Amino acid sequence: MTTGGTAEGVSDADLLRAHVDGDPEAFTELVRRHRDRLWAVALRTVGDREEAADAVQDALLSAHRAAARFRGDAQVTTWLHRIVVNACLDRVRKRQAHPTVPLPDGRHSDDGGAASGPEPAAPAHDHETALLVRQALAELPVEQRAALVLVDVQGYPVAEAADILGVAEGTIKSRCARGRARMALQLGHLRKGDDGHGNHQATSSVPSGSVRATSEGKESR
């Protein structure tokens, strides 16, 4: 099915079924289609390149092994994102159990092999603002962070984010609202043109209640 470019036009569900039936290229094609978004979600959720790459690798290995148990009650991409997000949340919770380990800022880089896709990068003119937003996002409780990453950064509908995280739509809305409120408090000086040290700056405003203005990691659906 996937040899010689014949995967063009084949649905994700068909690729997953082909993988289960023994097609050696089907799962690779499925990953190729979605790896950039999976990587972006993992990086924003975990906040560290190496851990995000490990989480994605672990998640894809789990998906590869569990493909036969996929029942089609959600889109394949939703299923993949759910596995990746769960792997990320497990890592974040384990890290939070050791408070002496500082929360990384997501900009670690070793030999370049850790990343499975491009790290979201801020435009040069707004780099400082993007770093402040990233830091504020990383300091949110993990459940709020995961909801905001999916809805505000990656642009998923609330219903799909709820499917990915396995919670009710109302829970997603509540987590996003609380997360946005916390970030608004932390980033209020940006709206006021203050650099946080009492110095006035001509900084672009950050819209209240949303991180989308500086979510340079968001990719078009």
Side-chain angles (χ1 to χ4, degrees):
M1 173 182 292
T2 61
T3 303
T6 56
E8 188 70 28
V10 178
S11 71
D12 289 346
D14 286 341
L15 283 174
L16 195 62
R17 281 191 290 269
H19 162 64
V20 172
D21 290 341
D23 187 325
E25 299 179 12
F27 194 79
T28 299
E29 169 62 19
L30 192 61
V31 171
R32 185 196 65 78
R33 291 182 180 183
H34 301 291
R35 62 188 175 192
D36 286 350
R37 298 205 75 192
L38 295 174
W39 166 250
V41 167
L43 181 60
R44 289 303 191 196
T45 303
V46 177
D48 177 83
R49 290 179 61 86
E50 184 175 351
E51 286 206 57
D54 288 344
V56 171
Q57 182 176 340
D58 290 347
L60 291 178
L61 181 59
S62 296
H64 188 277
R65 293 171 173 171
R69 298 197 296 273
F70 177 71
R71 298 182 178 181
D73 54 350
Q75 295 183 25
V76 172
T77 181
T78 300
W79 175 71
L80 287 173
H81 276 77
R82 183 184 302 151
I83 296 173
V84 169
V85 169
N86 284 336
C88 291
L89 296 182
D90 285 344
R91 286 181 173 272
V92 172
R93 289 171 182 138
K94 288 178 182 178
R95 187 170 62 198
Q96 289 177 340
H98 300 82
T100 56
V101 179
L103 184 67
D105 63 5
R107 299 194 61 78
H108 290 65
S109 178
D110 296 321
D111 59 359
S116 59
E119 178 183 1
H125 69 278
D126 205 26
H127 186 66
E128 183 177 355
T129 298
L131 290 179
L132 291 172
V133 172
R134 177 183 294 174
Q135 181 179 357
L137 186 64
E139 291 175 359
L140 291 177
V142 62
E143 290 83 5
Q144 294 175 18
R145 187 195 318 170
L148 276 181
V149 165
L150 290 172
V151 175
D152 277 5
V153 178
Q154 292 301 117
Y156 281 101
V158 169
E160 192 167 353
D163 284 342
I164 290 172
L165 293 176
V167 298
E169 291 183 33
T171 301
I172 293 294
K173 294 177 181 178
S174 176
R175 290 176 180 178
C176 285
R178 292 198 302 268
R180 291 167 186 152
R182 290 174 69 110
M183 291 189 69
L185 289 175
Q186 290 180 276
L187 301 172
H189 62 278
L190 296 179
R191 293 193 300 273
K192 298 174 183 177
D194 192 309
D195 64 0
H197 301 286
N199 299 316
H200 183 80
Q201 298 185 62
T203 306
S204 299
S205 62
V206 176
S208 178
S210 176
V211 299
R212 194 167 300 180
T214 49
S215 62
E216 66 284 353
K218 175 182 173 184
E219 306 199 16
S220 60
R221 288 183 61 78

